[in-house]
Amino acid sequence: MRQMLDFLGYQTLDDLVDATVPRGIRLERSLNLPEPLAEHEALAALRQIAARNHVWRSYIGMGYHDCVTPPVLLRNILENPGWYTQYTPYQAEISQGRLEALLNFQTMVIELTGLEVANASLLDEATAAAEAMTMCHGIKGNRTQFFVSEECHPQTINVVKTRARAIGIEVVTGSHASFPFSEQVFGALVQYPATHGDIHDYSDFVVRAHSCGALVAIAADLLSLTLLRPPGEFGADIALGSTQRFGVPPGYGGPHAAFFATRDIFKRHMPGRIVGVSKDSRGLPALRLALQTREQHIRREKATSNICTAQALLANMASMYACYHGPEGLKSIATRIHHLTEILAEGLRNLGVQVEPATRFDTLRARLDGTQAAAALLDRARAKKINLRWINDTTVGISLDETVSLNDVRDLWSLFDPHKADGLNPQFIAQKVILAYPGNLERKTDFLREAVFNSHHSETEMMRYLKRLETRDLSLTSSMIPLGSCTMKLNAAAEMLPITWPEFSRLHPFVPAEQAQGYAQLFKDLETWLAEITGFAAISLQPNAGSQGEYAGLLVIRAFQEARGEGARHICLIPASAHGTNPASAVMAGFTVVAVNCDKNGNVDVGDLRAKAAAHEAALAALMITY
């Protein structure tokens, strides 16, 4: 700091601030924040906070599952600054390692979904579903209705409705079996398997949708597609979902990499980034970001999505999980989960419990005899520190995952009938259950045939492969990265350590609040500190990316205008030098973007700003600037 101040000609940091930051915008008091802690003190404090979270066995499902993270991936990717400090891969020549990992991700998604092109990840499953809706809307033009099956995950339905409301799309929910398509419907979304476990054959539904000119998006469980017929084979136009259970813990809701695949004819409409295979100046194979004409920094207010980098690190984790296990390993994991689910179901039937559905992958519903039986079941579950999905007063849902054992199945039986459960023999039942799916639902095509998914199945092989890719990339382990952006990864090692602690990483996002009091304290403290730093009255931690924070803020402005009876205001002024997600977010929030001129250095032309504010005075809703 002394050298930099001497170079600039200032004695102290305060002198530099006095010379560069106008007094009119300076805070004239000290921030009301706790005293800073040394790293070891902060980690000790976090240990106390983590102890307030309680990791129970959670069988809640709803798109989130516990999993086993291979240690070779945990140590060599998630805990490795050579992977977590890389900059977004704008410069392909210094990004070949992670571009290959993301290409593996795309290939994995393409082959498991049976579609022709996939992107390099999105933010989460619900956001991916909303992106599917806006993509279908962009393709189909003036149609205004989007159908969402009532059997989709509830959080997905809510996010889709929120996104639709701002841009005038009508979301219709109901049964996919009886929904009457019309010429106003541009697209549809269904869940595969459905949120309560049902596996539907959507072939006829897709035919009905296509006959009316509508597109179909399938929200799929990626692991189940190792056993189930892939969406591309029964006519789906889009497949989406989460790769969370591919080695990334539930983490109380995220972050997790979503996947998104579509047909080749729609690739120029697809949100997010695509890694493409090209050739370098010597004619050798090389990777780069492809089809960037779809991206916000080029399309700006004409973009239909504000997604850019997305969850690259966690997409790399998921892709390497597939490389490590390979096609046979993934199928073995899925088969074991399905087998345990069938054992659980058969045992429950032996206990006199009504079990649905008849065809399932990892999730079932158990019907109970009245609310008293249900209450007693919950009491026994709490005593064993088990979370089930509460569907209604007489029905619970149970979803199994990679971590479940036969002992866990025994414990689940005992919740329903503690006395009879002791007489059940899981090994005997395991020999009786039938695992085959009906021919119209069973996967019959191979997947992950490429060498990369069949070459790195030992820890040593995988470790060397990861190191080889890491050395092809630029990260903070070898260089400064002098590019300012929302995508910089500058977390200290002490900040990264706690994300792997089980008290933080293994919590299901829908556990009862009393099991997540540590998280509640973190949220409260962070909201309080950010409110003090920013000067605002309240803070939302809900957005899962900077672009989604822009979008959330613009929705707040829109709601404010509507609340005071001025909902007709629709103009948002944005400097021409702003990041491309800014105008894209504004359009997604239902605003009309008017660009404000800037000089060659990106500074706002204040005169043009005044003129455009005056010209649009009656309709002006917001000014959006980078600060």
Side-chain angles (χ1 to χ4, degrees), residues 378-534:
L378 280 185
D379 287 341
R380 290 191 290 270
R382 279 190 288 267
K384 285 184 175 286
K385 297 185 176 181
I386 288 175
N387 293 314
L388 306 176
R389 181 178 180 183
W390 191 249
I391 296 175
N392 58 43
D393 286 344
T394 58
T395 310
V396 296
I398 305 174
S399 293
L400 303 189
D401 58 56
E402 185 184 5
T403 69
V404 173
S405 67
L406 283 176
N407 286 333
D408 295 316
V409 172
R410 286 193 189 94
D411 285 342
L412 288 168
W413 286 336
S414 71
L415 300 181
F416 291 84
D417 194 323
H419 305 294
K420 289 184 180 179
D422 289 339
L424 296 177
N425 185 329
Q427 284 85 3
F428 176 72
I429 292 175
Q431 296 173 2
K432 292 176 55 180
V433 299
I434 299 173
L435 297 182
Y437 286 111
N440 59 332
L441 293 177
E442 183 183 11
R443 181 170 196 129
K444 298 176 182 178
T445 51
D446 292 334
F447 55 91
L448 304 187
R449 294 152 293 185
E450 293 78 5
V452 72
F453 298 109
N454 295 279
S455 305
H456 310 297
H457 301 328
S458 75
E459 178 171 322
T460 303
E461 290 166 336
M462 176 53 68
M463 177 180 65
R464 288 172 178 167
Y465 179 53
L466 292 173
K467 190 64 179 179
R468 189 160 68 247
L469 296 188
E470 181 189 339
T471 59
R472 296 175 186 169
D473 261 45
L474 186 75
S475 72
L476 290 180
T477 61
S478 58
S479 171
M480 282 186 64
I481 303 175
L483 293 168
S485 172
C486 58
T487 57
M488 290 302 293
K489 309 298 188 294
L490 295 175
N491 295 310
E495 294 173 283
M496 295 294 287
L497 285 174
I499 70 171
T500 62
W501 296 350
E503 297 90 345
F504 289 129
S505 67
R506 295 193 60 196
L507 256 65
H508 191 285
F510 298 124
V511 299
E514 60 267 21
Q515 294 175 31
Q517 288 303 296
Y519 266 116
Q521 180 180 339
L522 281 179
F523 298 159
K524 182 180 178 182
D525 288 346
L526 183 56
E527 288 170 355
T528 300
W529 300 338
L530 289 176
E532 170 67 11
I533 292 167
T534 61

Side-chain angles (χ1 to χ4, degrees), residues 4 11 22 33 108 140 149 152 197 298 313 336 365 573 585:
M4 288 189 284
Q11 289 296 313
L33 296 173
M108 170 188 77
K140 287 298 176 178
S149 168
C152 289
I298 293 173
L313 176 66
R336 180 177 175 276
R365 302 186 298 278
L573 300 180
S585 297

Side-chain angles (χ1 to χ4, degrees), residues 255-266:
H256 309 122
F259 68 87
F260 194 103
T262 189
R263 302 198 174 281
D264 186 71
I265 57 173
F266 300 136

